[in-house]
Amino acid sequence: MKKIISKNEAVELFKNLSDEFAVIKNPEYILPEFELAPLAPKLTSPLANLTAAVMDMDGTTTTTEELCIHSLEYMIRKLSGKMTVESWIGLDHIVDYPNIIGNSTTKHVEYLINKYQYLFIDENIKSSYFYAAIWTILIGNDDKRKEEVTINLTNLNLTEIFRDGFYKRLEIDSVSLVKSEHEISEYFSQRFSDRFPALSRTDLVKIGIDVYYQRYHEILQRIKRGESKNISTELFNDPDKHLIQPMPGILFFICLVKGWLGNEAEVLVERLIEEYRLKSGRNFEQIEIGELRKRIALISKQFKKHPAKIAIVTSSIFYEADIVMSEVFSVLTSQISGLPLSLELKDFIRQKFASYRNVYDAFVTASDSTEMRLKPHRDLYSIALHQLNVPTTDFDNVIGFEDSESGTIAIRAAGIGRCVAVPFAQTKGHNFDAATYICTGGVPEVILSHNIFFKK
Ligand SMILES: [Mg+2]
């Protein structure tokens, strides 16, 4: 194959790749402006066997969207100084949410900066940036973030802060940093604000990203310390609101496709039906339940012989995904005792669920790629398929699960034709044209109504 070809030759080559293409717009700092991604044809024929399930994290396996949305809104509040709902009502659920969920952080922040930049005040931009940058470097736990923040400080001509006496004291006693946000913001903006160059929109987006991540990681650190209830009270005025929760059917799905349930799978059918009913209101007749139990028993037998592999594929960075999935698995583990299974099986599952690493055959995060190649680009899914060792000839035996528009595009762009959208409250307004199936009943619907796409 020639390496450099004419436009007409390119068109000819492209035509052979697919009948359908996704137009993927790049962030503003990238050329070309957009890319065309050939999509795998939608696959609706019955599944012969399931080699692997590749699943998004946020919105599909768990819900952390509340935290992400809170942190994005917080970023706008910091840059504008409008910290109360009286001064700014906050993000618009209908208009804003489809633009700030499921894509890369850069795209989310870019959208919000373009829309709300008119609210920003120069002084607030600078003071909140100083705090976010210093917090990330001195208190943050993610090395890649620290590196990105240092690069931003260098580009903004602000590395002189590292030589400042107050900064050096904070380096030694970083605990006081948490307590004195106001003092730090004031001190550094008074001393170093005039060093800022004129800020371009790209600079503003980078500042917005640093402020967003600082807030999000600060909350994650507290969750890791076991402060979930306090945070729920502070942010949502409800101590029982779970900030991180598994999605319906996840525990059952994992245990089933891994072949762990053996001949006990059918006793969990009623619980799954209940999860399905809660998610989408679907009810089953008694006669159907008998039929479902038989089908699940058969599927479980098949998975016991041929377990499927499972991967998490997320646009979150590893540091976040690790905390989130550890929390999800601690919630899942607490649910195991209440299951109507034999003690022996419960012990076995509990051991497996002691760490998400025992369960997932691949765990692909934004840290395995780069911000500019996250969903809707196919890269994270291609990495997952490679790590799972699935040959391209077997891609038709893979199911991809996503709750967002960009995620469903990424699945099909990675060559997976069986792409299932499992929208939830926050993403139900997304466009799911790329999805082969849209299952508003989530994973329970995939199992109960679609028989995991095996022949019924
Ligand atoms: Mg998602």
Side-chain angles (χ1 to χ4, degrees), residues 56-60 65 102 402-404:
D56 165 52
M57 185 178 80
D58 281 334
T60 302
E65 304 295 6
E402 273 283 354
D403 73 303
S404 71

Side-chain angles (χ1 to χ4, degrees), residues 88-130:
W88 176 53
I89 188 134
L91 297 174
D92 184 321
H93 292 211
I94 310 281
V95 181
D96 293 335
Y97 280 21
N99 294 291
I100 58 168
I101 294 172
N103 218 315
S104 66
T105 300
T106 304
K107 294 293 272 289
H108 298 160
V109 172
E110 211 167 75
Y111 164 84
L112 291 176
I113 300 261
N114 285 341
K115 179 162 176 191
Y116 292 105
Q117 195 183 343
Y118 73 94
L119 294 173
F120 298 169
I121 295 168
D122 194 53
E123 208 180 300
N124 293 102
I125 295 171
K126 291 172 181 170
S127 63
S128 52
Y129 176 63
F130 279 121

Side-chain angles (χ1 to χ4, degrees), residues 47-59:
L47 195 61
N49 66 291
L50 181 67
T51 303
V54 286
M55 308 181 85
D56 165 52
M57 185 178 80
D58 281 334

